[in-house]
Amino acid sequence: MKRRAFCRLHFIKELMFMPNVDLPLSELYHYKPDLTAQPDFDEFWNNAKADSKQAPLNAKAEPVNDHPLTSIRIYDVVFDGMDGTPIHGWYVVPAGDHAPGSLPVIVKYHGYNGNRGNPHELLHWASMGMAAFAIDARGQGGLTPVGAVFPQGSVSGWMTLGLLNPAEYYYRLVYIDCIRALDFVCGRQEVDASRIAVYGGSQGGGLALAAAGLDERPKLAMPYYPFLCHFRRAVEIHNSGPYAEIKNWFRRFDPEHLQEERVYRTLSYFDGINMASRVRARTLMAITLQDITCPPSTCFAVYNHLAGEKELKLYHDYGHEALPFHEEAMMRFAASYL
């Protein structure tokens, strides 16, 4: 028992004196690398959104009547992706009747290999008098299948599926699913479509940036330590997490990096720094300085390119981990501006 206590104390001391994992903070505040958007970036996404509008949503929202939470109404939702893949989600609203257009709504996107979660994870938003919607990212940890065929080989994970062509890349359909989630909530009678927020951490933060960068409907965006950002630097300096899949792809398929520029050209269409420059929503962003999965410089690159009004929460001694205190910060932000 004494040895266990000693080991824990030693670990805490090491954590307290852990050096920053990236550039000095004084440099991070001003870190604003050049954007990587290709000349046809907006055309690429406008075409994808136009294709999405031609595909029916076919949304179904089934009430969940046997759940112990009686202070909210819960709906098990399925809607079609633009390729017909069924996208699963949870939609919750406060119990009772609601006048048309009376509820603000918040849309949650989850982290890498996660899923829509459980209805009670949206309870705090409904307790604030809001509707809330959480969806799966296709093929990851939920009920939603991947729903696509990819032309080249890949490594385990999602980061390298279709890596050589932006029109075939895995995240093209995922980003459009995020926009179609906005279509779903805007189609709900009780929702005020002028009061939409999007949020998420890690991959969910990158998806929130994509939704707010590619669609003008979100009024608020709340990404924290976003993934899918500043790809080239992230691949170069990360020490854990899914960016390693891109390195492993090069090891397996292109050890001399002969296709490096082609790879990063594809990724530029999905890069959070290019999305950030198009975000007009008021944004609350959180960055953790000990993050070795989504390095701080990649997140500051996003924050410094955000085009709209923005606020930063900086957590000096935290890494890529749960931030329950930041959940409250997001609740206060949403209560103030939504």
Side-chain angles (χ1 to χ4, degrees):
M1 183 63 71
K2 287 183 179 180
R3 176 168 177 80
R4 184 180 301 173
F6 170 80
C7 291
R8 177 172 175 79
L9 179 61
H10 181 68
F11 172 77
I12 292 172
K13 285 183 176 179
E14 283 189 339
L15 184 63
M16 288 171 63
F17 295 105
M18 184 183 294
N20 284 350
V21 299
D22 207 327
L23 298 171
L25 183 56
S26 59
E27 294 182 29
L28 289 172
Y29 278 126
H30 304 287
Y31 185 67
K32 192 175 182 181
D34 292 341
L35 297 176
T36 60
Q38 301 296 310
D40 67 341
F41 181 95
D42 293 315
E43 179 184 5
F44 174 86
W45 283 112
N46 286 338
N47 288 340
K49 291 187 290 183
D51 290 345
S52 179
K53 288 181 179 178
Q54 297 302 312
L57 198 62
N58 294 329
K60 301 178 180 64
E62 296 292 333
V64 178
N65 296 317
D66 60 349
H67 199 280
L69 283 174
T70 58
S71 62
I72 59 175
R73 294 208 309 268
I74 301 169
Y75 297 88
D76 191 349
V77 175
V78 181
F79 65 83
D80 284 353
M82 74 174 182
D83 62 342
T85 298
I87 310 300
H88 291 258
W90 293 118
Y91 177 68
V92 305
V93 296
D97 297 326
H98 306 289
S102 61
L103 298 182
V105 63
I106 187 159
V107 180
K108 177 184 179 180
Y109 307 113
H110 65 72
Y112 198 73
N113 274 337
N115 56 40
R116 61 180 175 164
N118 296 292
H120 70 262
E121 295 171 52
L122 303 173
L123 177 60
H124 55 301
W125 300 116
S127 297
M128 293 172 63
M130 301 169 59
F133 188 39
I135 66 166
D136 282 346
R138 54 176 64 211
Q140 295 194 13
L143 296 173
T144 302
V146 67
V149 176
F150 301 96
Q152 295 96 26
S154 62
V155 300
S156 179
W158 312 102
M159 296 293 291
T160 64
L161 294 172
L163 187 59
L164 297 178
N165 186 339
E168 299 167 341
Y169 189 49
Y170 166 78
Y171 277 102
R172 176 178 177 269
L173 287 171
V174 175
Y175 282 16
I176 293 298
D177 293 341
C178 294
I179 293 173
R180 289 171 75 85
L182 303 179
D183 295 339
F184 170 78
V185 296
C186 287
R188 297 292 301 184
Q189 185 180 41
E190 65 273 11
V191 164
D192 179 353
S194 71
R195 294 191 289 163
I196 298 174
V198 292
Y199 83 108
S202 194
Q203 176 186 255
L207 298 182
L209 286 167
L214 297 175
D215 197 293
E216 62 184 12
R217 288 175 291 184
K219 181 180 179 182
L220 302 182
M222 299 183 291
Y224 52 98
Y225 45 63
F227 181 53
L228 306 168
C229 297
H230 199 6
F231 279 103
R232 193 183 290 268
R233 180 167 176 81
V235 171
E236 288 174 351
I237 72 167
H238 79 283
N239 278 307
S240 74
Y243 287 122
E245 295 171 23
I246 297 172
K247 280 189 175 180
N248 289 336
W249 185 91
F250 280 115
R251 284 171 58 88
R252 181 170 298 180
F253 298 107
D254 185 18
E256 295 184 70
H257 280 228
L258 300 178
Q259 299 191 87
E260 180 174 321
E261 293 309 313
R262 185 176 179 184
V263 165
Y264 283 108
R265 182 183 184 277
T266 291
L267 294 174
S268 71
Y269 290 89
F270 306 91
D271 198 317
I273 61 172
N274 299 325
M275 298 296 172
S277 69
R278 291 160 170 81
V279 170
R280 295 297 182 270
R282 182 187 290 269
T283 302
L284 173 69
M285 188 166 166
I287 300 176
T288 52
L289 287 185
Q290 308 303 328
D291 194 337
I292 60 175
T293 300
C294 296
S297 58
T298 68
C299 299
F300 270 97
V302 167
Y303 184 77
N304 290 331
H305 273 295
L306 284 168
E309 295 183 77
K310 57 189 178 182
E311 300 178 23
L312 175 64
K313 294 287 188 180
L314 189 62
Y315 302 119
H316 295 247
D317 307 306
Y318 285 80
H320 207 76
E321 59 188 294
L323 305 171
F325 45 86
H326 185 65
E327 196 80 22
E328 182 174 334
M330 291 191 293
M331 292 166 64
R332 293 182 182 278
F333 186 77
S336 295
Y337 297 113
L338 198 60

